[in-house]
Amino acid sequence: DTEVTQTPKHLVMGMTNKKSLKCEQHMGHRAMYWYKQKAKKPPELMFVYSYEKLSINESVPSRFSPECPNSSLLNLHLHALQPEDSALYLCASSQVQAGRTDTQYFGPGTRLTVL
Amino acid sequence: GQNIDQPTEMTATEGAIVQINCTYQTSGFNGLFWYQQHAGEAPTFLSYNVLDGLEEKGRFSSFLSRSKGYSYLLLKELQMKDSASYLCAQRQSGGYNKLIFGAGTRLAVHP
Protein backbone atom coordinates (compact mmCIF):
# COMPACT_ATOMS: atom_id res chain seq x y z
CA ASP A 1 0.00 0.00 0.00
CA THR A 2 1.54 3.30 -1.11
CA GLU A 3 -1.42 5.54 -0.42
CA VAL A 4 -1.24 9.09 0.84
CA THR A 5 -4.61 10.77 1.32
CA GLN A 6 -5.36 14.48 1.34
CA THR A 7 -8.43 16.47 2.25
CA PRO A 8 -10.15 18.45 0.97
CA LYS A 9 -9.74 17.84 -2.78
CA HIS A 10 -10.75 21.39 -3.58
CA LEU A 11 -10.80 24.51 -1.41
CA VAL A 12 -11.92 28.05 -2.17
CA MET A 13 -11.15 30.68 0.43
CA GLY A 14 -11.09 34.42 0.85
CA MET A 15 -8.01 36.37 1.84
CA THR A 16 -9.27 36.80 5.40
CA ASN A 17 -10.21 33.16 5.99
CA LYS A 18 -8.39 30.57 8.06
CA LYS A 19 -8.40 27.02 6.71
CA SER A 20 -6.35 23.83 7.03
CA LEU A 21 -5.19 21.18 4.61
CA LYS A 22 -4.82 17.64 5.90
CA CYS A 23 -2.61 14.75 4.85
CA GLU A 24 -2.50 11.19 6.17
CA GLN A 25 -0.42 8.08 5.50
CA HIS A 26 -0.33 4.66 7.12
CA MET A 27 2.82 3.29 5.54
CA GLY A 28 4.93 3.82 8.65
CA HIS A 29 6.85 6.59 6.93
CA ARG A 30 8.64 9.00 9.27
CA ALA A 31 9.27 11.79 6.77
CA MET A 32 6.46 13.95 5.37
CA TYR A 33 6.55 16.84 2.91
CA TRP A 34 4.48 19.74 1.63
CA TYR A 35 4.91 20.91 -1.97
CA LYS A 36 3.27 23.70 -3.94
CA GLN A 37 2.64 23.26 -7.66
CA LYS A 38 1.47 25.99 -10.00
CA ALA A 39 -0.06 25.11 -13.38
CA LYS A 40 2.45 23.65 -15.86
CA LYS A 41 5.27 24.03 -13.33
CA PRO A 42 7.10 21.39 -11.27
CA PRO A 43 6.38 20.83 -7.58
CA GLU A 44 8.30 23.16 -5.28
CA LEU A 45 9.26 21.97 -1.82
CA MET A 46 7.82 23.99 1.07
CA PHE A 47 8.41 21.97 4.26
CA VAL A 48 9.93 18.67 5.39
CA TYR A 49 9.16 16.90 8.65
CA SER A 50 11.37 14.09 9.90
CA TYR A 51 10.28 12.14 12.99
CA GLU A 52 7.58 14.76 13.57
CA LYS A 53 10.12 17.57 13.72
CA LEU A 54 10.41 20.34 11.16
CA SER A 55 13.63 19.71 9.21
CA ILE A 56 13.33 22.07 6.25
CA ASN A 57 11.42 25.31 5.76
CA GLU A 58 12.14 26.63 2.28
CA SER A 59 11.67 30.27 3.31
CA VAL A 60 7.92 29.91 3.12
CA PRO A 61 5.85 32.96 4.21
CA SER A 62 4.41 32.72 7.71
CA ARG A 63 0.86 32.73 6.37
CA PHE A 64 1.56 29.01 5.78
CA SER A 65 1.98 27.13 9.07
CA PRO A 66 2.75 23.39 9.04
CA GLU A 67 1.98 21.01 11.85
CA CYS A 68 2.80 17.33 12.36
CA PRO A 69 0.68 16.09 15.29
CA ASN A 70 1.84 12.48 14.94
CA SER A 71 3.76 10.23 12.57
CA SER A 72 0.73 9.63 10.32
CA LEU A 73 -0.67 13.14 10.01
CA LEU A 74 0.52 16.37 8.47
CA ASN A 75 -1.45 19.61 8.40
CA LEU A 76 -0.94 22.90 6.64
CA HIS A 77 -2.71 25.84 8.29
CA LEU A 78 -3.54 28.74 6.01
CA HIS A 79 -4.25 32.32 7.08
CA ALA A 80 -4.44 35.61 5.21
CA LEU A 81 -3.47 34.08 1.89
CA GLN A 82 -3.03 35.99 -1.35
CA PRO A 83 -4.52 35.17 -4.75
CA GLU A 84 -1.05 34.18 -5.99
CA ASP A 85 -1.08 31.36 -3.43
CA SER A 86 -3.68 29.58 -5.55
CA ALA A 87 -2.08 26.29 -6.58
CA LEU A 88 -2.15 22.52 -6.15
CA TYR A 89 -0.76 21.62 -2.72
CA LEU A 90 0.80 18.18 -2.63
CA CYS A 91 1.69 16.12 0.38
CA ALA A 92 4.26 13.31 0.18
CA SER A 93 5.78 10.80 2.56
CA SER A 94 8.82 8.54 2.62
CA GLN A 95 10.93 6.41 4.88
CA VAL A 96 13.86 8.24 6.37
CA GLN A 97 16.87 6.06 5.62
CA ALA A 98 18.90 6.80 2.48
CA GLY A 99 18.54 4.76 -0.64
CA ARG A 100 15.70 3.36 -2.69
CA THR A 101 13.47 3.01 0.37
CA ASP A 102 13.14 6.77 0.75
CA THR A 103 11.15 7.23 -2.43
CA GLN A 104 8.57 9.94 -1.91
CA TYR A 105 4.95 8.92 -2.50
CA PHE A 106 2.53 11.73 -3.27
CA GLY A 107 -1.06 12.28 -2.32
CA PRO A 108 -3.66 13.47 -4.86
CA GLY A 109 -3.33 17.07 -3.75
CA THR A 110 -5.64 19.88 -2.69
CA ARG A 111 -6.49 22.40 -5.37
CA LEU A 112 -6.63 25.75 -3.58
CA THR A 113 -8.20 28.89 -4.98
CA VAL A 114 -7.79 32.17 -3.07
CA LEU A 115 -10.27 34.87 -4.03
CA GLY B 1 20.21 26.42 -7.24
CA GLN B 2 20.29 23.15 -9.17
CA ASN B 3 19.59 23.34 -12.90
CA ILE B 4 17.70 20.35 -14.20
CA ASP B 5 16.99 20.44 -17.89
CA GLN B 6 14.55 18.32 -19.86
CA PRO B 7 12.65 18.97 -23.07
CA THR B 8 9.38 20.84 -22.65
CA GLU B 9 7.27 18.76 -25.01
CA MET B 10 7.52 15.57 -27.05
CA THR B 11 5.13 13.70 -29.30
CA ALA B 12 5.17 10.03 -30.25
CA THR B 13 3.01 7.41 -31.90
CA GLU B 14 1.17 4.62 -30.14
CA GLY B 15 3.31 1.46 -30.09
CA ALA B 16 6.57 3.35 -30.61
CA ILE B 17 9.53 3.97 -28.30
CA VAL B 18 10.37 7.38 -26.85
CA GLN B 19 13.39 8.57 -24.85
CA ILE B 20 13.11 11.57 -22.51
CA ASN B 21 16.45 13.08 -21.56
CA CYS B 22 17.40 14.90 -18.38
CA THR B 23 20.61 16.69 -17.46
CA TYR B 24 21.52 17.94 -14.01
CA GLN B 25 24.37 19.51 -12.10
CA THR B 26 26.63 16.82 -10.67
CA SER B 27 27.58 18.65 -7.44
CA GLY B 28 25.62 17.40 -4.45
CA PHE B 29 24.07 14.54 -6.42
CA ASN B 30 22.48 11.79 -4.35
CA GLY B 31 20.05 10.00 -6.65
CA LEU B 32 17.78 10.61 -9.62
CA PHE B 33 14.03 9.93 -9.69
CA TRP B 34 11.50 9.86 -12.50
CA TYR B 35 7.83 10.56 -11.84
CA GLN B 36 4.78 10.51 -14.12
CA GLN B 37 2.07 13.11 -13.64
CA HIS B 38 -1.25 13.18 -15.44
CA ALA B 39 -2.94 16.57 -15.66
CA GLY B 40 -4.51 17.56 -12.35
CA GLU B 41 -3.23 14.46 -10.56
CA ALA B 42 -0.38 13.65 -8.17
CA PRO B 43 3.06 12.58 -9.40
CA THR B 44 3.50 8.81 -9.32
CA PHE B 45 6.90 7.18 -8.85
CA LEU B 46 8.39 5.45 -11.89
CA SER B 47 12.07 4.80 -11.24
CA TYR B 48 15.16 5.56 -9.19
CA ASN B 49 18.85 5.53 -10.16
CA VAL B 50 21.83 6.22 -7.96
CA LEU B 51 24.48 4.09 -9.70
CA ASP B 52 25.46 4.20 -13.37
CA GLY B 53 23.55 2.00 -15.73
CA LEU B 54 20.11 0.94 -16.78
CA GLU B 55 17.19 0.07 -14.50
CA GLU B 56 14.41 -1.80 -16.28
CA LYS B 57 10.85 -2.07 -15.02
CA GLY B 58 8.39 -3.45 -17.54
CA ARG B 59 7.81 -1.00 -20.39
CA PHE B 60 9.80 1.71 -18.61
CA SER B 61 13.58 1.88 -18.21
CA SER B 62 15.80 4.59 -16.76
CA PHE B 63 19.49 5.18 -17.37
CA LEU B 64 22.04 7.18 -15.40
CA SER B 65 25.55 8.45 -16.12
CA ARG B 66 26.86 10.24 -13.03
CA SER B 67 30.03 11.52 -14.70
CA LYS B 68 27.99 13.20 -17.45
CA GLY B 69 25.15 14.41 -15.21
CA TYR B 70 22.72 12.69 -17.55
CA SER B 71 19.70 10.44 -17.27
CA TYR B 72 17.00 9.26 -19.61
CA LEU B 73 13.63 7.60 -19.29
CA LEU B 74 12.79 5.10 -22.04
CA LEU B 75 9.17 4.22 -22.67
CA LYS B 76 8.48 1.23 -24.93
CA GLU B 77 5.27 0.05 -26.63
CA LEU B 78 3.66 3.41 -26.03
CA GLN B 79 0.01 3.50 -25.09
CA MET B 80 -2.42 6.40 -25.19
CA LYS B 81 -2.52 6.41 -21.38
CA ASP B 82 1.20 7.26 -21.35
CA SER B 83 0.28 10.81 -22.39
CA ALA B 84 1.38 12.75 -19.30
CA SER B 85 4.15 14.92 -17.92
CA TYR B 86 7.36 13.17 -16.94
CA LEU B 87 9.33 14.80 -14.15
CA CYS B 88 13.02 14.27 -13.57
CA ALA B 89 14.00 14.96 -9.94
CA GLN B 90 17.45 15.11 -8.35
CA ARG B 91 17.91 14.28 -4.70
CA GLN B 92 20.42 16.52 -3.03
CA SER B 93 23.01 15.28 -0.55
CA GLY B 94 22.63 16.59 2.98
CA GLY B 95 20.44 14.04 4.67
CA TYR B 96 16.90 15.39 4.29
CA ASN B 97 15.80 13.64 1.08
CA LYS B 98 15.26 16.99 -0.62
CA LEU B 99 14.13 16.65 -4.25
CA ILE B 100 14.60 19.29 -6.90
CA PHE B 101 12.29 18.76 -9.85
CA GLY B 102 12.85 19.62 -13.46
CA ALA B 103 10.11 21.51 -15.27
CA GLY B 104 8.76 18.27 -16.74
CA THR B 105 8.35 16.93 -20.26
CA ARG B 106 4.79 16.82 -21.61
CA LEU B 107 4.46 13.72 -23.75
CA ALA B 108 1.57 13.40 -26.21
CA VAL B 109 0.95 9.94 -27.64
CA HIS B 110 -1.02 9.88 -30.89
CA PRO B 111 -2.79 6.94 -32.57
Side-chain angles (χ1 to χ4, degrees):
Chain A
D1 181 14
T2 57
E3 187 179 26
V4 178
T5 59
Q6 291 186 244
T7 55
K9 287 190 69 173
H10 302 275
L11 179 63
V12 179
M13 60 186 290
M15 290 189 284
T16 59
N17 291 158
K18 283 186 182 180
K19 297 287 184 182
S20 296
L21 309 184
K22 296 187 184 301
C23 174
E24 189 167 4
Q25 56 87 17
H26 294 287
M27 295 178 278
H29 290 170
R30 301 305 298 273
M32 297 186 77
Y33 312 78
W34 279 116
Y35 288 84
K36 173 182 178 180
Q37 187 176 25
K38 303 282 276 186
K40 298 187 177 182
K41 297 289 187 182
E44 295 180 356
L45 183 66
M46 300 174 71
F47 302 104
V48 179
Y49 274 82
S50 180
Y51 294 101
E52 296 90 69
K53 287 185 168 41
L54 185 64
S55 302
I56 295 179
N57 176 342
E58 291 286 284
S59 302
V60 178
S62 60
R63 58 186 184 269
F64 295 91
S65 175
E67 178 197 19
C68 191
N70 60 56
S71 59
S72 300
L73 294 174
L74 184 67
N75 299 322
L76 186 63
H77 302 298
L78 313 172
H79 174 53
L81 294 193
Q82 304 296 312
E84 59 264 29
D85 296 322
S86 298
L88 181 68
Y89 287 84
L90 294 163
C91 173
S93 72
S94 75
Q95 295 189 26
V96 175
Q97 54 267 55
R100 188 183 294 263
T101 54
D102 62 358
T103 296
Q104 292 184 31
Y105 295 94
F106 285 83
T110 294
R111 187 160 298 283
L112 174 68
T113 302
V114 182
L115 301 177
Chain B
Q2 299 283 359
N3 288 329
I4 299 175
D5 293 317
Q6 49 182 133
T8 303
E9 291 184 350
M10 298 182 73
T11 59
T13 304
E14 196 175 12
I17 299 173
V18 71
Q19 178 174 313
I20 303 174
N21 296 325
C22 171
T23 58
Y24 62 88
Q25 292 184 359
T26 56
S27 63
F29 174 80
N30 192 24
L32 196 290
F33 292 81
W34 284 95
Y35 284 84
Q36 179 193 62
Q37 187 175 27
H38 286 97
E41 298 182 11
T44 55
F45 168 71
L46 291 178
S47 69
Y48 167 71
N49 297 73
V50 69
L51 299 176
D52 292 348
L54 190 68
E55 290 276 344
E56 297 188 79
K57 192 187 292 186
R59 293 190 299 117
F60 293 4
S61 304
S62 58
F63 172 83
L64 179 69
S65 169
R66 289 173 295 170
S67 62
K68 295 180 179 176
Y70 168 69
S71 174
Y72 67 72
L73 180 70
L74 192 71
L75 293 77
K76 302 176 187 175
E77 301 170 16
L78 281 172
Q79 302 175 10
M80 298 296 289
K81 67 178 182 180
D82 297 329
S83 295
S85 285
Y86 291 86
L87 301 167
C88 172
Q90 176 183 359
R91 180 171 59 212
Q92 292 187 311
S93 57
Y96 288 115
N97 199 22
K98 180 176 175 178
L99 292 182
I100 304 298
F101 284 86
T105 298
R106 285 192 299 279
L107 174 66
V109 180
H110 299 289

